Amino acid sequence: MTTLQSLLARTDANAAVAWVLTGGLLGAVGQFWRIGELDWAVVTMLLVGVTITIPIVARTPTVMLPAELLAAAAVPVAVRATGMLPQVTPFVAVAALGVLTVVVLDATTSLSMTPRFAAVFVVVVTMAGAGVWTVGTWVADTIVGTMFVGGKTELMWDLIIATVVGVGAGLLFDGYVVVSDRIEHLRTATGHTGTASTSTGGSLPGSTQQQRRVVRLLQLLLVGITIVALARRNVTLVVNSGVPLAITFLPAVLRREFDYTMDPGLVVWITLATVLHAVGAVALYELYGWYDSLTHTFSASLIAGGGYAIARSVEHHTQAVSFTRGFRGSFVVLFVLAVGVAWEILEFASGGVATLVGGEAVLAQYGTTDIVNDLVFNAAGAVVVATLGSAHFEGIAAWLASRVDVLVRGGS
């Protein structure tokens, strides 16, 4: 089976072409700098930096990234240099950077990724990069007076294009790895091996009985909001209270159907996040601008936990995957940013549907400042979990891995 470590060949021909392409990228850095395209100069320099990491670590110029991958990464740089497709090429470059980065990380560190996970990671990196790009350009417009962000619609189409590009890059990379016939192991060339660290579990404060009582009270509050929404025939509020109410029963469904008992403290965490959103939909979102930031931070912490659980469950499931603590934390933040971009697209689509069919949008979006604010506080919630709260999701990760094992054995 082809692995990421086998993508590099220690051949003079591959190295010669790869070095020529690297030189071209380095020349493009100077060109972008001269014409004032500083953002592109930085992106291109990052491509160069990732590329030369391989021969530096291997201590030989003949071990390089595959020339075809470098050629693909150079395409958006060349297109941008000619001034064509300015809206698409930044995200293509970010996707290319993600592809090169996963290969280098897997080859030169103690990380181990399966090609399929690496492809997913490329998608996540591209979408997260679009989120960072959005925040950065908005800050530049606000502080420096640049005009990167044209308006909400233009910004949202940028995010949609980035998502499409990211998915496409992930699929193409997965296909490339599958058909690749390079069988030289880079890990042998660089001599890097290691194992990932693990973390321990944790629990939220309070006794189990007290935590369950809190959950029941919060569920009753959601029931009350849903009843009021039905009485007023407010479809938007019904969705924004009924769906959160349904989510609070997910732990009970898991316990009944799969015999998995979620930590009661985590159940409180989930329930409180859903209640905060439902209460905000009643009136608080419109009355207090800070309330939306609060709910995004709280919800993002759960999404971060989900991302962490997914990554850890992959580690539990297969020995071919091994992550470091630092990578897990980085993945959590990138995962939340990517999901945040997807959520903004969903809100944008909700407004489009409401315009077409009439009525009020189920999910509201109030402009570029609101989009940027959501992305920033999503990241804040992710950082909290990555640094302080990931241990609370170890149990879910182990359960997910066990379910995957059962499905694999059942299908074999």
Side-chain angles (χ1 to χ4, degrees), residues 3 24 43 72 114 127 133 148 172 182 187 210 269 286 297 305:
T3 63
V43 171
T114 62
M127 295 178 67
W133 187 282
F148 288 114
L172 288 174
R182 298 177 181 272
R187 197 176 298 275
Q210 290 173 331
W269 195 346
E286 296 182 1
T297 303

Side-chain angles (χ1 to χ4, degrees), residues 218-219 221-222 225 244 270-280 291:
L218 292 174
Q219 286 176 326
L221 178 59
L222 284 173
I225 295 174
I270 294 172
T271 307
L272 182 57
T274 60
V275 169
L276 287 174
H277 171 68
V279 172
Y291 190 84

Side-chain angles (χ1 to χ4, degrees), residues 25-42 44-45:
L25 288 172
L26 194 56
V29 173
Q31 175 65 15
F32 287 132
W33 186 271
R34 283 191 295 272
I35 64 177
E37 295 277 359
L38 300 185
D39 51 348
W40 271 93
V42 171
T44 308
M45 195 65 213

Side-chain angles (χ1 to χ4, degrees), residues 259-391:
D259 196 28
Y260 169 69
T261 302
M262 188 178 293
D263 179 82
L266 188 54
V267 177
V268 173
W269 195 346
I270 294 172
T271 307
L272 182 57
T274 60
V275 169
L276 287 174
H277 171 68
V279 172
V282 175
L284 295 185
Y285 283 144
E286 296 182 1
L287 292 176
Y288 305 105
W290 56 264
Y291 190 84
D292 182 55
S293 301
L294 172 67
T295 57
H296 268 275
T297 303
F298 218 96
S299 299
S301 67
L302 288 176
I303 296 172
Y308 177 86
I310 291 171
R312 286 292 283 154
S313 67
V314 173
E315 284 188 274
H316 288 313
H317 174 64
T318 173
Q319 295 182 348
V321 172
S322 180
F323 302 144
T324 63
R325 186 188 301 272
F327 177 82
R328 294 190 201 109
S330 300
F331 179 79
V332 162
V333 177
L334 292 171
F335 181 81
V336 170
L337 284 171
V339 172
V341 168
W343 181 260
E344 296 302 327
I345 292 174
L346 187 61
E347 288 184 340
F348 182 65
S350 174
V353 171
T355 301
L356 290 175
V357 303
E360 184 180 355
V362 174
L363 301 174
Q365 196 173 57
Y366 300 104
T368 56
T369 301
D370 175 60
I371 295 170
V372 172
N373 187 74
D374 290 349
L375 293 173
V376 168
F377 282 94
N378 286 346
V383 169
V384 169
V385 170
T387 56
L388 301 174
S390 59

